[in-house]
Amino acid sequence: MLRQEDQTALSLCIAPTHVDDSWDEGTLVPAHLAASTNAGQQQVRMRRSLALNIASFRLRVQLSGAARIGEHLAATITREVGGPGLLTAEAAWQTPTLPVVDGAICVRPRSAKLPDQPETEFAIACANMRAMAFTPWADDDSQTEPLFLAHMGEVACMFALPDTGRWLPLQGVVEMLPFRARARDGIHLGVNRVHGVMSPVCLPQASRNHHTWIVGQTGTGKSTLLENVILQDVLEGRSVIVIDPHGDLIRQILGKIPEERMRDVVLFDPADKAFPVGLNPLETGDEDEREMMVNAFIDLLIKLYDPHHTGIIGPRFEHGARNVMLTVMSAPGNTLVEVLRAFQDHRFVMQHLLPHVTDPIVRRYWTDQITATNEFHKSEVLDWLVSKFSHFVTDRTMRRILGQSTSSFSFSEAMNGGKIVLLNLAKGRLGSENANFLGLILLPMILRAALSRSALPDAERRDVSLVVDEFHNYATDSLALMLAEARKYHVGLTLANQHVGQLTGEIRDALLGNVGSIISFRLGATDAVAMESILAPSPIGAQQLITLPDYTAYGRLLITGHRTPVFTLQTQPSPVEYVEQRAEGIRALSREAYGRPREEVDREINRRSNMERADRENERGPTNFGFN
């Protein structure tokens, strides 16, 4: 219609009608088709007969234009809008030799005036289109056979009618696909409702260790689903770790945790400046853990400062950062504060750090390379390194978190002890850069804790659920490795984000290659096309993914080693009541167990880093931070 040179308009109307009880299944099929029948066709006709007897409709279409409507457009509208209906087409598909009967009658309004009509049909049709009314014309009921009627499910394909709970799909746009798995145990994700029959959708715990990806636009119901999943883990006594970049999810969870698990909560909230919780990513055990942490930290800096790999962070930067970090990590209790000081204070390196370094390559970096570099080039290299590290140490809030020698809690102990670790990285209170930095540090620490479970027998590895909202903010090689390795250590990831385009090619490949279950809420046009191919083969197309209502999704789960067909999922609000006093009580208990007074933390950092002396020297005059 949009390609017509002249303006055209299309108006549709449905009119309920009644199918007389005397119209049996033989009447529903023309005589010339009755002879060529088989059991499949009979079953289809019986289904159609039942549907028409319950609720049947006549569909009237009026097409008008500024000029005469061409035969091609009229035939197209007749075929696309007034076709034979779903069940008739199904019969033709089951038996290719059965001709498809056109379920519409195309009638042009007559311009000649009939004796019993005050106006011509053409005049009535024009008046109808102006008023969008349906005054009958050419309305001879004797020409309408039952075959051309439509039942409610067929009409709903064109009209968003209210849901009757029996025949009509939800809001007229959702293709309601059944959940065919027999799983009844595990995490309850929501319900599957098809033709008024409601059944629960559950994901077994063993399947969760194969990881779950939840994707959808903001406000579509992802947080509701995540909250339900987390609370079920809490009520079942499992260990759960949550990374929340907004803070709302954790705020809701705090007020719904049962009293018997209040002391199991570890709340990491950097916005609580009075009692900062310590986090020392350089606190490692052996050389392998050090190498893992250094590599993760370099990936972190690339993610922050050179996400498109333009060369801002290249081999020269990596070489310097790697050697300085390994030097600092050789002595226990050092933090990122000491990393920054090592870039600036040569005496500190030679007197306090180098005696602990056992790796000859790292030692030669200082004794041969740095010593042989002239002051100009030395300052050029080190200033470049300092500029990438200093922000996260000069910021007082970050320094009080990252500058504590010992972490306030251990992820390994939390996993093995069934703790509830809530990591609140709200960007609105921390700032986007600080929040992303902390998230990028936390994931390698969690990965390190997961890999350390290799020392435990498989029977002693408790199931752990790691939930990360907006995980694309923290998508580095550590996340890809966790997707590949965490399953065998009973750590299942539940990852959520807004759209597919937020993921780089490598992370997307790692995600699709390792994630067992996918749940898709409403998507934008570009992502819907991508998700259509991800969910294939399925009857779901991009259009269905674009028009999904809130709290409704299409899913495909991995259960007992097999992926289910795509099904429709409707999430439900949490039945647990929010109690503000409980949330405040958990904050107080966690602060008492894991927080330290701010003044105490400041004194420790100043003493360790000798900042008080540096402040006095700054008062006397500028200090040369080169290697002298």
Side-chain angles (χ1 to χ4, degrees), residues 16 29 61 94 102 126 174 286 360 604:
V29 179
V61 179
Q94 289 184 355
D102 194 356
C126 291
V174 181
D286 53 24
E604 179 203 334

Side-chain angles (χ1 to χ4, degrees), residues 211 443 446-447 466 478-487 493:
H211 317 311
L443 274 182
I446 297 171
L447 171 63
L466 171 61
S478 295
L479 180 63
L481 182 59
M482 192 176 297
L483 285 167
E485 299 291 337
R487 178 193 60 80
L493 278 65

Side-chain angles (χ1 to χ4, degrees), residues 113-425:
K113 186 175 179 180
L114 298 177
D116 57 342
Q117 288 185 336
E119 296 180 273
T120 65
E121 290 178 347
F122 184 78
I124 297 174
C126 291
N128 285 348
M129 294 309 298
R130 286 193 298 270
M132 297 304 290
F134 279 87
T135 302
W137 62 271
D139 190 18
D140 187 357
D141 288 336
S142 63
Q143 298 179 2
T144 304
E145 300 182 22
L147 177 65
F148 302 149
L149 299 178
H151 64 71
M152 188 176 291
E154 294 169 339
V155 172
C157 295
M158 259 177 278
F159 293 89
L161 299 178
D163 188 359
T164 66
R166 295 191 66 184
W167 296 98
L168 196 60
L170 182 64
Q171 294 192 11
V173 296
V174 181
E175 186 161 354
M176 306 303 287
L177 303 177
F179 180 62
R180 301 188 182 280
R182 298 184 180 275
R184 292 294 181 266
D185 297 325
I187 291 293
H188 179 75
L189 301 178
V191 296
N192 175 250
R193 184 183 289 111
V194 177
H195 297 317
V197 179
M198 188 172 66
S199 57
V201 177
C202 298
L203 183 62
Q205 186 60 36
S207 298
R208 297 182 66 198
N209 291 337
H210 290 272
H211 317 311
T212 304
W213 178 29
I214 303 171
V215 61
Q217 294 177 336
T218 181
T220 55
K222 299 191 305 297
S223 296
T224 299
L225 178 57
L226 291 177
E227 180 185 331
N228 276 329
V229 168
I230 294 166
L231 288 176
Q232 288 178 72
D233 281 327
V234 170
L235 293 173
E236 292 293 330
R238 282 188 285 269
S239 176
V240 58
I241 303 172
V242 182
I243 299 180
D244 180 12
H246 304 298
D248 294 335
L249 179 60
I250 286 179
R251 189 176 301 111
Q252 285 296 315
I253 293 170
L254 280 177
K256 297 182 178 181
I257 293 176
E259 293 185 7
E260 61 270 18
R261 297 217 63 189
M262 289 176 62
R263 293 188 177 276
D264 291 337
V265 177
V266 180
L267 178 60
F268 177 74
D269 187 1
D272 185 2
K273 298 181 180 181
F275 289 84
V277 174
L279 189 71
N280 184 8
L282 306 189
E283 189 178 18
T284 56
D286 53 24
E287 293 183 359
D288 291 338
E289 287 190 359
R290 294 177 191 173
E291 289 289 344
M292 181 187 301
M293 194 62 229
V294 170
N295 290 335
F297 205 90
I298 291 174
D299 287 342
L300 174 158
L301 296 174
I302 293 174
K303 173 78 173 178
L304 290 176
Y305 297 115
D306 193 14
H308 303 293
H309 300 279
T310 59
I312 295 175
I313 294 181
R316 189 178 184 185
F317 175 91
E318 291 188 25
H319 174 68
R322 185 181 301 277
N323 281 282
V324 172
M325 290 191 68
L326 289 174
T327 299
V328 171
M329 294 167 72
S330 63
N334 285 333
T335 67
L336 289 177
V337 172
E338 279 73 27
V339 171
L340 185 63
R341 186 180 177 187
F343 288 132
Q344 300 170 322
D345 189 344
H346 182 61
R347 288 188 296 271
F348 171 69
V349 173
M350 302 304 293
Q351 295 176 10
H352 298 281
L353 298 181
L354 207 59
H356 298 278
V357 177
T358 57
D359 190 330
I361 302 299
V362 178
R363 290 184 63 87
R364 291 183 62 180
Y365 171 77
W366 299 101
T367 58
D368 296 357
Q369 181 176 339
I370 293 298
T371 303
T373 304
N374 62 49
E375 293 300 322
F376 174 78
H377 289 97
K378 187 187 301 180
S379 176
E380 183 183 41
V381 172
L382 296 177
D383 284 348
W384 177 252
L385 292 167
V386 166
S387 67
K388 301 298 179 289
F389 281 83
S390 62
H391 171 75
F392 307 109
V393 176
T394 56
D395 184 289
R396 290 181 181 273
T397 299
M398 298 293 286
R399 184 167 69 223
R400 289 168 181 145
I401 296 170
L402 301 173
Q404 297 189 41
S405 295
T406 305
S407 296
S408 299
F409 63 95
S410 165
F411 281 107
S412 295
E413 294 177 1
M415 289 181 179
N416 299 331
K419 296 292 186 181
I420 304 166
V421 183
L422 305 179
L423 307 170
N424 187 351
L425 306 182

Side-chain angles (χ1 to χ4, degrees), residues 388-609:
K388 301 298 179 289
F389 281 83
S390 62
H391 171 75
F392 307 109
V393 176
T394 56
D395 184 289
R396 290 181 181 273
T397 299
M398 298 293 286
R399 184 167 69 223
R400 289 168 181 145
I401 296 170
L402 301 173
Q404 297 189 41
S405 295
T406 305
S407 296
S408 299
F409 63 95
S410 165
F411 281 107
S412 295
E413 294 177 1
M415 289 181 179
N416 299 331
K419 296 292 186 181
I420 304 166
V421 183
L422 305 179
L423 307 170
N424 187 351
L425 306 182
K427 295 180 180 180
R429 303 183 67 180
L430 271 176
S432 178
E433 193 172 18
N434 285 342
N436 289 344
F437 180 82
L438 286 174
L440 289 166
I441 281 181
L442 286 166
L443 274 182
M445 296 179 70
I446 297 171
L447 171 63
R448 198 169 66 205
L451 296 179
S452 69
R453 306 183 94 195
S454 61
L456 292 175
D458 185 77
E460 297 181 13
R461 298 172 188 170
R462 301 180 60 162
D463 288 322
V464 178
S465 176
L466 171 61
V467 179
V468 186
D469 195 9
E470 305 295 350
F471 77 95
H472 61 278
N473 292 319
Y474 323 117
T476 62
D477 289 345
S478 295
L479 180 63
L481 182 59
M482 192 176 297
L483 285 167
E485 299 291 337
R487 178 193 60 80
K488 60 182 68 124
Y489 303 115
H490 291 236
V491 179
L493 278 65
T494 300
L495 307 176
N497 72 310
Q498 294 183 16
H499 57 88
V500 184
Q502 293 172 316
L503 308 178
T504 63
E506 293 180 358
I507 295 299
R508 179 180 172 180
D509 292 343
L511 185 71
L512 297 179
N514 292 286
V515 165
S517 301
I518 298 175
I519 298 173
S520 174
F521 289 85
R522 186 173 62 246
L523 298 173
T526 303
D527 289 321
V529 174
M531 184 56 65
E532 180 182 357
S533 63
I534 292 172
L535 293 177
S538 79
I540 297 304
Q543 186 61 35
Q544 285 91 341
L545 292 164
I546 293 172
T547 55
L548 275 171
D550 293 344
Y551 309 108
T552 303
Y554 290 118
R556 168 173 283 165
L557 307 182
L558 181 68
I559 297 178
T560 64
H562 301 281
R563 283 190 169 88
T564 66
V566 176
F567 63 92
T568 310
L569 172 69
Q570 291 178 274
T571 60
Q572 298 174 308
S574 170
V576 184
E577 181 183 359
Y578 178 86
V579 181
E580 180 64 33
Q581 293 81 358
R582 190 170 302 169
E584 293 303 321
I586 293 173
R587 290 181 185 277
L589 289 172
S590 180
R591 174 187 287 182
E592 179 184 353
Y594 305 104
R596 292 176 62 191
R598 179 178 60 188
E599 296 77 10
E600 179 183 324
V601 174
D602 286 343
R603 285 196 299 270
E604 179 203 334
I605 295 175
N606 290 339
R607 175 184 54 77
R608 225 179 51 243
S609 59

